Amino acid sequence: MISALAMTLCNLSVVPAASAAEPVKIGFLVKQAEEPWFQDEWRFAEQAAHEKGFTLVKIGVPNGEKMIAAIDNLAAQKAQGFVICAPDVKLGIAVERAAKRNGLKAMSVDDQLVDGSGKPISSIPHMGISAYEIGKQVGLGLVDEMKVRGWKMTEVGAMRLAFDQLPTARERTQGAVDALKAAGFPVANIVDATQAKTDTESAFNAANIALTKHAQFKHWVVFDMNDEAVLGTIRATEGRGLRSDAVIGIGIGGSKTALNEFAKPSPTGFYGTVLISPKRHGYETAMNMYKWITENKVPAAVTLTTGTLMTRVNQTEVRAQFGL
Ligand code: FCA
C-alpha cells in the first residue's frame, strides 16, 4: 500500500520534471533587424537567455512571407514561443493562426497586432511605448527649445513625418502636434510629410519634397515616430543649406542612431530624442515569455513603457536612469 502510494507520488513528480527538462527555445522576431533599436532589444533579450539558460532565436522578418516562414521554422526547431514586432500590424490574424497551428505562445513588442477591423488582438500579450504621452514629451521639448532660441512661432514650420497606417506612429506624432497646438503654435505652419517606409531614406525623401513646397519658413522643428526618421529629415534640411541653429529635431528611441549624432564634434539639427527602454522591451518580454513557458504565467495583456527627453547635454545621466 505504502509503496504503491510512494510510486504514485514518484510518478507525479516525474511528469513535470520531465517537461521542465526540455530545453526552452524562444524566438525574437523583428521587422527591421538593421535598426539599432531592434539590435538593442535583441541584446537585452540575450541577457535574459543567459540568465535563465534558454536559447534565443533571433530572426529578421521584413515581410509577411518571411514572418510566416520564421514562425513555422521555430516550431520545426522545437521552440515553445516567440516575441514579435511584425512588419505590418495588420498581419495580426496571420500571426495568431501560425502560432496556434504550431502550438507556440506569442507576444508582441513595440507594434501591437490588430485584426481585420483594426482592433488589437487580445490573445497576444503586448509591450509597447505609451505613444501619445511620449509624443507630447517630444512636442514640449520642441516648444521649450524654441523659447530658448527666441524663435517667433509664426516664422517656424513644424514638419511631421507621417506613417499613419501604424497606430503607434500616428499616436506619437499626434501627441507632438497636440503639445505644439497647446503652446500656441500656428496650426497652419504644421506640415505633413508622408514616409513610404519607416527608415531614414524614406524620411529623407519625404522631407525633401516638403521642404521644397514650404520654402517660406525661416526655422523648422521636426518630429516623427523614431530617431531614424528625424535623422533623415535633418539630413534633408542640411542638404538645403539650413544650419543646425535653424532646425530643432527631436526623435524617439535613444539608441545608436541618436548617440552617433550626439557624438559629433558640433551639434546638428538632431537636438534630442525621447529615450525609451530597449532593456524593458528586450529583456522583460523575453523573460515574460520564459515564465509563460516554464511556469504558465501569462504576461499582462498590455504593458506600456515611458520615456525621458535626452539631449547631448544630459545623455549620460538619462541613460544611467534607464540602466543603460
Ligand atoms: C516601432 C518603431 C521602432 C521603435 C519601436 C519602439 O516599432 O518602428 O523604431 O520606435 O516602435
mmCIF file with all atom_site columns, all heavy atoms in Angstrom, residues 31-32 35 37-38 41 85-86 109-111 128-129 166 168-169 172 198 225-228 252-253 276 281, ligand 1:
data_model
loop_
_atom_site.group_PDB
_atom_site.id
_atom_site.type_symbol
_atom_site.label_atom_id
_atom_site.label_alt_id
_atom_site.label_comp_id
_atom_site.label_asym_id
_atom_site.label_entity_id
_atom_site.label_seq_id
_atom_site.pdbx_PDB_ins_code
_atom_site.Cartn_x
_atom_site.Cartn_y
_atom_site.Cartn_z
_atom_site.occupancy
_atom_site.B_iso_or_equiv
_atom_site.pdbx_formal_charge
_atom_site.auth_seq_id
_atom_site.auth_comp_id
_atom_site.auth_asym_id
_atom_site.auth_atom_id
_atom_site.pdbx_PDB_model_num
ATOM   1   N N   . LYS A 1 31  ? 10.906 43.381 -37.286 1.00 0.00 ? 31  LYS A N   1
ATOM   2   C CA  . LYS A 1 31  ? 10.640 43.814 -38.665 1.00 0.00 ? 31  LYS A CA  1
ATOM   3   C C   . LYS A 1 31  ? 11.846 44.454 -39.342 1.00 0.00 ? 31  LYS A C   1
ATOM   4   O O   . LYS A 1 31  ? 11.968 44.393 -40.550 1.00 0.00 ? 31  LYS A O   1
ATOM   5   C CB  . LYS A 1 31  ? 9.453  44.789 -38.670 1.00 0.00 ? 31  LYS A CB  1
ATOM   6   C CG  . LYS A 1 31  ? 9.705  46.078 -37.870 1.00 0.00 ? 31  LYS A CG  1
ATOM   7   C CD  . LYS A 1 31  ? 8.519  47.034 -37.912 1.00 0.00 ? 31  LYS A CD  1
ATOM   8   C CE  . LYS A 1 31  ? 8.848  48.307 -37.138 1.00 0.00 ? 31  LYS A CE  1
ATOM   9   N NZ  . LYS A 1 31  ? 7.724  49.246 -37.105 1.00 0.00 ? 31  LYS A NZ  1
ATOM   10  N N   . GLN A 1 32  ? 12.709 45.145 -38.553 1.00 0.00 ? 32  GLN A N   1
ATOM   11  C CA  . GLN A 1 32  ? 13.846 45.839 -39.173 1.00 0.00 ? 32  GLN A CA  1
ATOM   12  C C   . GLN A 1 32  ? 15.126 45.546 -38.396 1.00 0.00 ? 32  GLN A C   1
ATOM   13  O O   . GLN A 1 32  ? 15.561 46.332 -37.564 1.00 0.00 ? 32  GLN A O   1
ATOM   14  C CB  . GLN A 1 32  ? 13.584 47.349 -39.203 1.00 0.00 ? 32  GLN A CB  1
ATOM   15  C CG  . GLN A 1 32  ? 12.632 47.781 -40.308 1.00 0.00 ? 32  GLN A CG  1
ATOM   16  C CD  . GLN A 1 32  ? 12.111 49.187 -40.102 1.00 0.00 ? 32  GLN A CD  1
ATOM   17  O OE1 . GLN A 1 32  ? 11.356 49.446 -39.168 1.00 0.00 ? 32  GLN A OE1 1
ATOM   18  N NE2 . GLN A 1 32  ? 12.519 50.101 -40.967 1.00 0.00 ? 32  GLN A NE2 1
ATOM   19  N N   . GLU A 1 35  ? 17.962 48.079 -37.802 1.00 0.00 ? 35  GLU A N   1
ATOM   20  C CA  . GLU A 1 35  ? 17.772 49.293 -36.992 1.00 0.00 ? 35  GLU A CA  1
ATOM   21  C C   . GLU A 1 35  ? 18.364 49.097 -35.591 1.00 0.00 ? 35  GLU A C   1
ATOM   22  O O   . GLU A 1 35  ? 18.078 48.101 -34.924 1.00 0.00 ? 35  GLU A O   1
ATOM   23  C CB  . GLU A 1 35  ? 16.263 49.594 -36.913 1.00 0.00 ? 35  GLU A CB  1
ATOM   24  C CG  . GLU A 1 35  ? 15.953 50.961 -36.343 1.00 0.00 ? 35  GLU A CG  1
ATOM   25  C CD  . GLU A 1 35  ? 14.449 51.206 -36.235 1.00 0.00 ? 35  GLU A CD  1
ATOM   26  O OE1 . GLU A 1 35  ? 13.739 51.164 -37.254 1.00 0.00 ? 35  GLU A OE1 1
ATOM   27  O OE2 . GLU A 1 35  ? 13.984 51.434 -35.099 1.00 0.00 ? 35  GLU A OE2 1
ATOM   28  N N   . TRP A 1 37  ? 17.659 50.176 -32.722 1.00 0.00 ? 37  TRP A N   1
ATOM   29  C CA  . TRP A 1 37  ? 16.688 49.885 -31.648 1.00 0.00 ? 37  TRP A CA  1
ATOM   30  C C   . TRP A 1 37  ? 16.450 48.378 -31.512 1.00 0.00 ? 37  TRP A C   1
ATOM   31  O O   . TRP A 1 37  ? 16.445 47.820 -30.417 1.00 0.00 ? 37  TRP A O   1
ATOM   32  C CB  . TRP A 1 37  ? 15.366 50.617 -31.921 1.00 0.00 ? 37  TRP A CB  1
ATOM   33  C CG  . TRP A 1 37  ? 14.228 50.088 -31.097 1.00 0.00 ? 37  TRP A CG  1
ATOM   34  C CD1 . TRP A 1 37  ? 13.262 49.215 -31.485 1.00 0.00 ? 37  TRP A CD1 1
ATOM   35  C CD2 . TRP A 1 37  ? 13.967 50.378 -29.709 1.00 0.00 ? 37  TRP A CD2 1
ATOM   36  N NE1 . TRP A 1 37  ? 12.397 48.938 -30.449 1.00 0.00 ? 37  TRP A NE1 1
ATOM   37  C CE2 . TRP A 1 37  ? 12.810 49.638 -29.346 1.00 0.00 ? 37  TRP A CE2 1
ATOM   38  C CE3 . TRP A 1 37  ? 14.590 51.177 -28.738 1.00 0.00 ? 37  TRP A CE3 1
ATOM   39  C CZ2 . TRP A 1 37  ? 12.273 49.684 -28.065 1.00 0.00 ? 37  TRP A CZ2 1
ATOM   40  C CZ3 . TRP A 1 37  ? 14.044 51.212 -27.457 1.00 0.00 ? 37  TRP A CZ3 1
ATOM   41  C CH2 . TRP A 1 37  ? 12.908 50.474 -27.128 1.00 0.00 ? 37  TRP A CH2 1
ATOM   42  N N   . PHE A 1 38  ? 16.254 47.715 -32.643 1.00 0.00 ? 38  PHE A N   1
ATOM   43  C CA  . PHE A 1 38  ? 15.944 46.282 -32.607 1.00 0.00 ? 38  PHE A CA  1
ATOM   44  C C   . PHE A 1 38  ? 17.177 45.465 -32.214 1.00 0.00 ? 38  PHE A C   1
ATOM   45  O O   . PHE A 1 38  ? 17.067 44.438 -31.548 1.00 0.00 ? 38  PHE A O   1
ATOM   46  C CB  . PHE A 1 38  ? 15.342 45.832 -33.942 1.00 0.00 ? 38  PHE A CB  1
ATOM   47  C CG  . PHE A 1 38  ? 13.983 46.447 -34.187 1.00 0.00 ? 38  PHE A CG  1
ATOM   48  C CD1 . PHE A 1 38  ? 13.808 47.430 -35.152 1.00 0.00 ? 38  PHE A CD1 1
ATOM   49  C CD2 . PHE A 1 38  ? 12.894 46.083 -33.403 1.00 0.00 ? 38  PHE A CD2 1
ATOM   50  C CE1 . PHE A 1 38  ? 12.559 48.028 -35.341 1.00 0.00 ? 38  PHE A CE1 1
ATOM   51  C CE2 . PHE A 1 38  ? 11.638 46.672 -33.582 1.00 0.00 ? 38  PHE A CE2 1
ATOM   52  C CZ  . PHE A 1 38  ? 11.477 47.648 -34.556 1.00 0.00 ? 38  PHE A CZ  1
ATOM   53  N N   . GLU A 1 41  ? 17.213 45.655 -28.545 1.00 0.00 ? 41  GLU A N   1
ATOM   54  C CA  . GLU A 1 41  ? 16.213 44.737 -27.975 1.00 0.00 ? 41  GLU A CA  1
ATOM   55  C C   . GLU A 1 41  ? 16.759 43.311 -27.944 1.00 0.00 ? 41  GLU A C   1
ATOM   56  O O   . GLU A 1 41  ? 16.647 42.608 -26.938 1.00 0.00 ? 41  GLU A O   1
ATOM   57  C CB  . GLU A 1 41  ? 14.924 44.754 -28.813 1.00 0.00 ? 41  GLU A CB  1
ATOM   58  C CG  . GLU A 1 41  ? 13.958 45.847 -28.445 1.00 0.00 ? 41  GLU A CG  1
ATOM   59  C CD  . GLU A 1 41  ? 12.635 45.754 -29.199 1.00 0.00 ? 41  GLU A CD  1
ATOM   60  O OE1 . GLU A 1 41  ? 12.525 45.040 -30.207 1.00 0.00 ? 41  GLU A OE1 1
ATOM   61  O OE2 . GLU A 1 41  ? 11.690 46.430 -28.779 1.00 0.00 ? 41  GLU A OE2 1
ATOM   62  N N   . CYS A 1 85  ? 7.835  41.799 -33.320 1.00 0.00 ? 85  CYS A N   1
ATOM   63  C CA  . CYS A 1 85  ? 7.444  43.101 -33.843 1.00 0.00 ? 85  CYS A CA  1
ATOM   64  C C   . CYS A 1 85  ? 7.276  42.862 -35.343 1.00 0.00 ? 85  CYS A C   1
ATOM   65  O O   . CYS A 1 85  ? 8.258  42.720 -36.079 1.00 0.00 ? 85  CYS A O   1
ATOM   66  C CB  . CYS A 1 85  ? 8.500  44.170 -33.566 1.00 0.00 ? 85  CYS A CB  1
ATOM   67  S SG  . CYS A 1 85  ? 7.991  45.780 -34.223 1.00 0.00 ? 85  CYS A SG  1
ATOM   68  N N   . ALA A 1 86  ? 6.026  42.738 -35.763 1.00 0.00 ? 86  ALA A N   1
ATOM   69  C CA  . ALA A 1 86  ? 5.713  42.299 -37.129 1.00 0.00 ? 86  ALA A CA  1
ATOM   70  C C   . ALA A 1 86  ? 5.945  43.407 -38.157 1.00 0.00 ? 86  ALA A C   1
ATOM   71  O O   . ALA A 1 86  ? 5.873  44.583 -37.830 1.00 0.00 ? 86  ALA A O   1
ATOM   72  C CB  . ALA A 1 86  ? 4.261  41.828 -37.180 1.00 0.00 ? 86  ALA A CB  1
ATOM   73  N N   . VAL A 1 109 ? 5.768  43.004 -29.355 1.00 0.00 ? 109 VAL A N   1
ATOM   74  C CA  . VAL A 1 109 ? 6.541  44.082 -28.752 1.00 0.00 ? 109 VAL A CA  1
ATOM   75  C C   . VAL A 1 109 ? 6.525  45.268 -29.716 1.00 0.00 ? 109 VAL A C   1
ATOM   76  O O   . VAL A 1 109 ? 6.473  45.081 -30.939 1.00 0.00 ? 109 VAL A O   1
ATOM   77  C CB  . VAL A 1 109 ? 7.980  43.606 -28.422 1.00 0.00 ? 109 VAL A CB  1
ATOM   78  C CG1 . VAL A 1 109 ? 8.817  43.337 -29.687 1.00 0.00 ? 109 VAL A CG1 1
ATOM   79  C CG2 . VAL A 1 109 ? 8.714  44.610 -27.533 1.00 0.00 ? 109 VAL A CG2 1
ATOM   80  N N   . ASP A 1 110 ? 6.512  46.472 -29.183 1.00 0.00 ? 110 ASP A N   1
ATOM   81  C CA  . ASP A 1 110 ? 6.562  47.743 -29.938 1.00 0.00 ? 110 ASP A CA  1
ATOM   82  C C   . ASP A 1 110 ? 5.287  48.051 -30.726 1.00 0.00 ? 110 ASP A C   1
ATOM   83  O O   . ASP A 1 110 ? 4.666  49.079 -30.505 1.00 0.00 ? 110 ASP A O   1
ATOM   84  C CB  . ASP A 1 110 ? 7.758  47.789 -30.909 1.00 0.00 ? 110 ASP A CB  1
ATOM   85  C CG  . ASP A 1 110 ? 9.089  47.587 -30.208 1.00 0.00 ? 110 ASP A CG  1
ATOM   86  O OD1 . ASP A 1 110 ? 9.171  47.875 -29.011 1.00 0.00 ? 110 ASP A OD1 1
ATOM   87  O OD2 . ASP A 1 110 ? 10.028 47.111 -30.862 1.00 0.00 ? 110 ASP A OD2 1
ATOM   88  N N   . ASP A 1 111 ? 4.945  47.198 -31.698 1.00 0.00 ? 111 ASP A N   1
ATOM   89  C CA  . ASP A 1 111 ? 3.798  47.461 -32.564 1.00 0.00 ? 111 ASP A CA  1
ATOM   90  C C   . ASP A 1 111 ? 2.708  46.434 -32.243 1.00 0.00 ? 111 ASP A C   1
ATOM   91  O O   . ASP A 1 111 ? 2.910  45.233 -32.455 1.00 0.00 ? 111 ASP A O   1
ATOM   92  C CB  . ASP A 1 111 ? 4.200  47.325 -34.043 1.00 0.00 ? 111 ASP A CB  1
ATOM   93  C CG  . ASP A 1 111 ? 5.329  48.283 -34.436 1.00 0.00 ? 111 ASP A CG  1
ATOM   94  O OD1 . ASP A 1 111 ? 5.679  49.160 -33.620 1.00 0.00 ? 111 ASP A OD1 1
ATOM   95  O OD2 . ASP A 1 111 ? 5.849  48.153 -35.558 1.00 0.00 ? 111 ASP A OD2 1
ATOM   96  N N   . GLY A 1 128 ? 4.398  47.813 -25.355 1.00 0.00 ? 128 GLY A N   1
ATOM   97  C CA  . GLY A 1 128 ? 4.709  48.907 -26.278 1.00 0.00 ? 128 GLY A CA  1
ATOM   98  C C   . GLY A 1 128 ? 5.037  50.158 -25.502 1.00 0.00 ? 128 GLY A C   1
ATOM   99  O O   . GLY A 1 128 ? 5.087  50.135 -24.266 1.00 0.00 ? 128 GLY A O   1
ATOM   100 N N   . ILE A 1 129 ? 5.263  51.252 -26.213 1.00 0.00 ? 129 ILE A N   1
ATOM   101 C CA  . ILE A 1 129 ? 5.512  52.513 -25.510 1.00 0.00 ? 129 ILE A CA  1
ATOM   102 C C   . ILE A 1 129 ? 4.183  53.269 -25.360 1.00 0.00 ? 129 ILE A C   1
ATOM   103 O O   . ILE A 1 129 ? 3.257  53.063 -26.146 1.00 0.00 ? 129 ILE A O   1
ATOM   104 C CB  . ILE A 1 129 ? 6.558  53.399 -26.232 1.00 0.00 ? 129 ILE A CB  1
ATOM   105 C CG1 . ILE A 1 129 ? 6.070  53.896 -27.607 1.00 0.00 ? 129 ILE A CG1 1
ATOM   106 C CG2 . ILE A 1 129 ? 7.883  52.662 -26.377 1.00 0.00 ? 129 ILE A CG2 1
ATOM   107 C CD1 . ILE A 1 129 ? 6.964  54.984 -28.212 1.00 0.00 ? 129 ILE A CD1 1
ATOM   108 N N   . LEU A 1 166 ? 0.414  52.946 -39.180 1.00 0.00 ? 166 LEU A N   1
ATOM   109 C CA  . LEU A 1 166 ? 0.879  52.252 -37.974 1.00 0.00 ? 166 LEU A CA  1
ATOM   110 C C   . LEU A 1 166 ? 0.366  53.022 -36.751 1.00 0.00 ? 166 LEU A C   1
ATOM   111 O O   . LEU A 1 166 ? 0.791  54.151 -36.506 1.00 0.00 ? 166 LEU A O   1
ATOM   112 C CB  . LEU A 1 166 ? 2.418  52.198 -37.981 1.00 0.00 ? 166 LEU A CB  1
ATOM   113 C CG  . LEU A 1 166 ? 3.095  51.538 -36.792 1.00 0.00 ? 166 LEU A CG  1
ATOM   114 C CD1 . LEU A 1 166 ? 2.694  50.072 -36.656 1.00 0.00 ? 166 LEU A CD1 1
ATOM   115 C CD2 . LEU A 1 166 ? 4.619  51.643 -36.921 1.00 0.00 ? 166 LEU A CD2 1
ATOM   116 N N   . THR A 1 168 ? 0.881  53.124 -33.532 1.00 0.00 ? 168 THR A N   1
ATOM   117 C CA  . THR A 1 168 ? 1.822  53.731 -32.575 1.00 0.00 ? 168 THR A CA  1
ATOM   118 C C   . THR A 1 168 ? 2.509  54.953 -33.195 1.00 0.00 ? 168 THR A C   1
ATOM   119 O O   . THR A 1 168 ? 2.804  55.933 -32.500 1.00 0.00 ? 168 THR A O   1
ATOM   120 C CB  . THR A 1 168 ? 2.842  52.703 -32.035 1.00 0.00 ? 168 THR A CB  1
ATOM   121 O OG1 . THR A 1 168 ? 3.675  53.335 -31.050 1.00 0.00 ? 168 THR A OG1 1
ATOM   122 C CG2 . THR A 1 168 ? 3.740  52.126 -33.127 1.00 0.00 ? 168 THR A CG2 1
ATOM   123 N N   . ALA A 1 169 ? 2.728  54.935 -34.493 1.00 0.00 ? 169 ALA A N   1
ATOM   124 C CA  . ALA A 1 169 ? 3.365  56.080 -35.171 1.00 0.00 ? 169 ALA A CA  1
ATOM   125 C C   . ALA A 1 169 ? 2.411  57.267 -35.181 1.00 0.00 ? 169 ALA A C   1
ATOM   126 O O   . ALA A 1 169 ? 2.791  58.404 -34.879 1.00 0.00 ? 169 ALA A O   1
ATOM   127 C CB  . ALA A 1 169 ? 3.754  55.692 -36.591 1.00 0.00 ? 169 ALA A CB  1
ATOM   128 N N   . ARG A 1 172 ? 2.070  58.752 -31.667 1.00 0.00 ? 172 ARG A N   1
ATOM   129 C CA  . ARG A 1 172 ? 3.272  59.502 -31.263 1.00 0.00 ? 172 ARG A CA  1
ATOM   130 C C   . ARG A 1 172 ? 3.246  60.906 -31.859 1.00 0.00 ? 172 ARG A C   1
ATOM   131 O O   . ARG A 1 172 ? 3.442  61.900 -31.163 1.00 0.00 ? 172 ARG A O   1
ATOM   132 C CB  . ARG A 1 172 ? 4.538  58.775 -31.741 1.00 0.00 ? 172 ARG A CB  1
ATOM   133 C CG  . ARG A 1 172 ? 4.765  57.432 -31.082 1.00 0.00 ? 172 ARG A CG  1
ATOM   134 C CD  . ARG A 1 172 ? 5.970  56.709 -31.682 1.00 0.00 ? 172 ARG A CD  1
ATOM   135 N NE  . ARG A 1 172 ? 5.942  55.284 -31.356 1.00 0.00 ? 172 ARG A NE  1
ATOM   136 C CZ  . ARG A 1 172 ? 6.910  54.430 -31.609 1.00 0.00 ? 172 ARG A CZ  1
ATOM   137 N NH1 . ARG A 1 172 ? 8.016  54.843 -32.199 1.00 0.00 ? 172 ARG A NH1 1
ATOM   138 N NH2 . ARG A 1 172 ? 6.802  53.162 -31.278 1.00 0.00 ? 172 ARG A NH2 1
ATOM   139 N N   . THR A 1 198 ? 9.418  53.132 -42.787 1.00 0.00 ? 198 THR A N   1
ATOM   140 C CA  . THR A 1 198 ? 9.870  53.785 -41.553 1.00 0.00 ? 198 THR A CA  1
ATOM   141 C C   . THR A 1 198 ? 11.384 53.728 -41.423 1.00 0.00 ? 198 THR A C   1
ATOM   142 O O   . THR A 1 198 ? 11.913 53.274 -40.421 1.00 0.00 ? 198 THR A O   1
ATOM   143 C CB  . THR A 1 198 ? 9.216  53.130 -40.316 1.00 0.00 ? 198 THR A CB  1
ATOM   144 O OG1 . THR A 1 198 ? 9.606  51.738 -40.306 1.00 0.00 ? 198 THR A OG1 1
ATOM   145 C CG2 . THR A 1 198 ? 7.722  53.214 -40.362 1.00 0.00 ? 198 THR A CG2 1
ATOM   146 N N   . MET A 1 225 ? 8.011  59.407 -35.771 1.00 0.00 ? 225 MET A N   1
ATOM   147 C CA  . MET A 1 225 ? 7.843  58.229 -34.910 1.00 0.00 ? 225 MET A CA  1
ATOM   148 C C   . MET A 1 225 ? 9.127  57.724 -34.276 1.00 0.00 ? 225 MET A C   1
ATOM   149 O O   . MET A 1 225 ? 9.101  57.065 -33.262 1.00 0.00 ? 225 MET A O   1
ATOM   150 C CB  . MET A 1 225 ? 7.193  57.090 -35.673 1.00 0.00 ? 225 MET A CB  1
ATOM   151 C CG  . MET A 1 225 ? 8.117  56.479 -36.714 1.00 0.00 ? 225 MET A CG  1
ATOM   152 S SD  . MET A 1 225 ? 7.419  54.996 -37.418 1.00 0.00 ? 225 MET A SD  1
ATOM   153 C CE  . MET A 1 225 ? 7.280  53.959 -36.002 1.00 0.00 ? 225 MET A CE  1
ATOM   154 N N   . ASN A 1 226 ? 10.282 58.000 -34.908 1.00 0.00 ? 226 ASN A N   1
ATOM   155 C CA  . ASN A 1 226 ? 11.528 57.478 -34.321 1.00 0.00 ? 226 ASN A CA  1
ATOM   156 C C   . ASN A 1 226 ? 12.758 58.295 -34.742 1.00 0.00 ? 226 ASN A C   1
ATOM   157 O O   . ASN A 1 226 ? 12.647 59.218 -35.556 1.00 0.00 ? 226 ASN A O   1
ATOM   158 C CB  . ASN A 1 226 ? 11.706 55.986 -34.645 1.00 0.00 ? 226 ASN A CB  1
ATOM   159 C CG  . ASN A 1 226 ? 11.797 55.706 -36.142 1.00 0.00 ? 226 ASN A CG  1
ATOM   160 O OD1 . ASN A 1 226 ? 12.031 56.613 -36.943 1.00 0.00 ? 226 ASN A OD1 1
ATOM   161 N ND2 . ASN A 1 226 ? 11.612 54.460 -36.527 1.00 0.00 ? 226 ASN A ND2 1
ATOM   162 N N   . ASP A 1 227 ? 13.892 57.938 -34.189 1.00 0.00 ? 227 ASP A N   1
ATOM   163 C CA  . ASP A 1 227 ? 15.139 58.680 -34.462 1.00 0.00 ? 227 ASP A CA  1
ATOM   164 C C   . ASP A 1 227 ? 15.545 58.571 -35.925 1.00 0.00 ? 227 ASP A C   1
ATOM   165 O O   . ASP A 1 227 ? 16.103 59.514 -36.493 1.00 0.00 ? 227 ASP A O   1
ATOM   166 C CB  . ASP A 1 227 ? 16.277 58.115 -33.609 1.00 0.00 ? 227 ASP A CB  1
ATOM   167 C CG  . ASP A 1 227 ? 16.110 58.436 -32.136 1.00 0.00 ? 227 ASP A CG  1
ATOM   168 O OD1 . ASP A 1 227 ? 15.357 59.385 -31.819 1.00 0.00 ? 227 ASP A OD1 1
ATOM   169 O OD2 . ASP A 1 227 ? 16.717 57.736 -31.307 1.00 0.00 ? 227 ASP A OD2 1
ATOM   170 N N   . GLU A 1 228 ? 15.288 57.429 -36.528 1.00 0.00 ? 228 GLU A N   1
ATOM   171 C CA  . GLU A 1 228 ? 15.714 57.202 -37.910 1.00 0.00 ? 228 GLU A CA  1
ATOM   172 C C   . GLU A 1 228 ? 15.048 58.223 -38.833 1.00 0.00 ? 228 GLU A C   1
ATOM   173 O O   . GLU A 1 228 ? 15.683 58.759 -39.745 1.00 0.00 ? 228 GLU A O   1
ATOM   174 C CB  . GLU A 1 228 ? 15.370 55.776 -38.352 1.00 0.00 ? 228 GLU A CB  1
ATOM   175 C CG  . GLU A 1 228 ? 16.256 54.689 -37.762 1.00 0.00 ? 228 GLU A CG  1
ATOM   176 C CD  . GLU A 1 228 ? 16.142 54.547 -36.252 1.00 0.00 ? 228 GLU A CD  1
ATOM   177 O OE1 . GLU A 1 228 ? 15.064 54.835 -35.699 1.00 0.00 ? 228 GLU A OE1 1
ATOM   178 O OE2 . GLU A 1 228 ? 17.137 54.143 -35.618 1.00 0.00 ? 228 GLU A OE2 1
ATOM   179 N N   . ILE A 1 252 ? 12.484 59.760 -31.229 1.00 0.00 ? 252 ILE A N   1
ATOM   180 C CA  . ILE A 1 252 ? 12.050 58.827 -30.178 1.00 0.00 ? 252 ILE A CA  1
ATOM   181 C C   . ILE A 1 252 ? 12.910 57.572 -30.351 1.00 0.00 ? 252 ILE A C   1
ATOM   182 O O   . ILE A 1 252 ? 13.046 57.060 -31.464 1.00 0.00 ? 252 ILE A O   1
ATOM   183 C CB  . ILE A 1 252 ? 10.556 58.463 -30.335 1.00 0.00 ? 252 ILE A CB  1
ATOM   184 C CG1 . ILE A 1 252 ? 9.668  59.703 -30.097 1.00 0.00 ? 252 ILE A CG1 1
ATOM   185 C CG2 . ILE A 1 252 ? 10.155 57.337 -29.370 1.00 0.00 ? 252 ILE A CG2 1
ATOM   186 C CD1 . ILE A 1 252 ? 8.181  59.490 -30.417 1.00 0.00 ? 252 ILE A CD1 1
ATOM   187 N N   . GLY A 1 253 ? 13.509 57.120 -29.281 1.00 0.00 ? 253 GLY A N   1
ATOM   188 C CA  . GLY A 1 253 ? 14.344 55.922 -29.359 1.00 0.00 ? 253 GLY A CA  1
ATOM   189 C C   . GLY A 1 253 ? 15.516 56.038 -28.393 1.00 0.00 ? 253 GLY A C   1
ATOM   190 O O   . GLY A 1 253 ? 15.478 55.567 -27.276 1.00 0.00 ? 253 GLY A O   1
ATOM   191 N N   . ILE A 1 276 ? 13.593 55.718 -24.870 1.00 0.00 ? 276 ILE A N   1
ATOM   192 C CA  . ILE A 1 276 ? 12.688 54.666 -24.412 1.00 0.00 ? 276 ILE A CA  1
ATOM   193 C C   . ILE A 1 276 ? 13.559 53.450 -24.056 1.00 0.00 ? 276 ILE A C   1
ATOM   194 O O   . ILE A 1 276 ? 14.766 53.481 -24.296 1.00 0.00 ? 276 ILE A O   1
ATOM   195 C CB  . ILE A 1 276 ? 11.598 54.354 -25.473 1.00 0.00 ? 276 ILE A CB  1
ATOM   196 C CG1 . ILE A 1 276 ? 12.225 54.067 -26.840 1.00 0.00 ? 276 ILE A CG1 1
ATOM   197 C CG2 . ILE A 1 276 ? 10.615 55.511 -25.575 1.00 0.00 ? 276 ILE A CG2 1
ATOM   198 C CD1 . ILE A 1 276 ? 11.212 53.704 -27.933 1.00 0.00 ? 276 ILE A CD1 1
ATOM   199 N N   . HIS A 1 281 ? 11.940 46.399 -23.212 1.00 0.00 ? 281 HIS A N   1
ATOM   200 C CA  . HIS A 1 281 ? 11.293 45.772 -24.374 1.00 0.00 ? 281 HIS A CA  1
ATOM   201 C C   . HIS A 1 281 ? 11.986 44.467 -24.794 1.00 0.00 ? 281 HIS A C   1
ATOM   202 O O   . HIS A 1 281 ? 11.341 43.588 -25.351 1.00 0.00 ? 281 HIS A O   1
ATOM   203 C CB  . HIS A 1 281 ? 11.237 46.758 -25.545 1.00 0.00 ? 281 HIS A CB  1
ATOM   204 C CG  . HIS A 1 281 ? 10.215 47.853 -25.350 1.00 0.00 ? 281 HIS A CG  1
ATOM   205 N ND1 . HIS A 1 281 ? 9.278  48.178 -26.284 1.00 0.00 ? 281 HIS A ND1 1
ATOM   206 C CD2 . HIS A 1 281 ? 9.984  48.674 -24.291 1.00 0.00 ? 281 HIS A CD2 1
ATOM   207 C CE1 . HIS A 1 281 ? 8.515  49.162 -25.822 1.00 0.00 ? 281 HIS A CE1 1
ATOM   208 N NE2 . HIS A 1 281 ? 8.940  49.487 -24.611 1.00 0.00 ? 281 HIS A NE2 1
HETATM 209 C C1  . FCA B 2 .   ? 8.354  50.920 -33.669 1.00 0.00 ? 1   FCA B C1  1
HETATM 210 C C2  . FCA B 2 .   ? 9.412  51.665 -34.453 1.00 0.00 ? 1   FCA B C2  1
HETATM 211 C C3  . FCA B 2 .   ? 10.777 51.494 -33.838 1.00 0.00 ? 1   FCA B C3  1
HETATM 212 C C4  . FCA B 2 .   ? 10.729 51.788 -32.342 1.00 0.00 ? 1   FCA B C4  1
HETATM 213 C C5  . FCA B 2 .   ? 9.700  50.924 -31.671 1.00 0.00 ? 1   FCA B C5  1
HETATM 214 C C6  . FCA B 2 .   ? 9.562  51.190 -30.193 1.00 0.00 ? 1   FCA B C6  1
HETATM 215 O O1  . FCA B 2 .   ? 8.445  49.559 -33.944 1.00 0.00 ? 1   FCA B O1  1
HETATM 216 O O2  . FCA B 2 .   ? 9.444  51.243 -35.794 1.00 0.00 ? 1   FCA B O2  1
HETATM 217 O O3  . FCA B 2 .   ? 11.686 52.368 -34.454 1.00 0.00 ? 1   FCA B O3  1
HETATM 218 O O4  . FCA B 2 .   ? 10.397 53.141 -32.140 1.00 0.00 ? 1   FCA B O4  1
HETATM 219 O O5  . FCA B 2 .   ? 8.439  51.144 -32.283 1.00 0.00 ? 1   FCA B O5  1
#
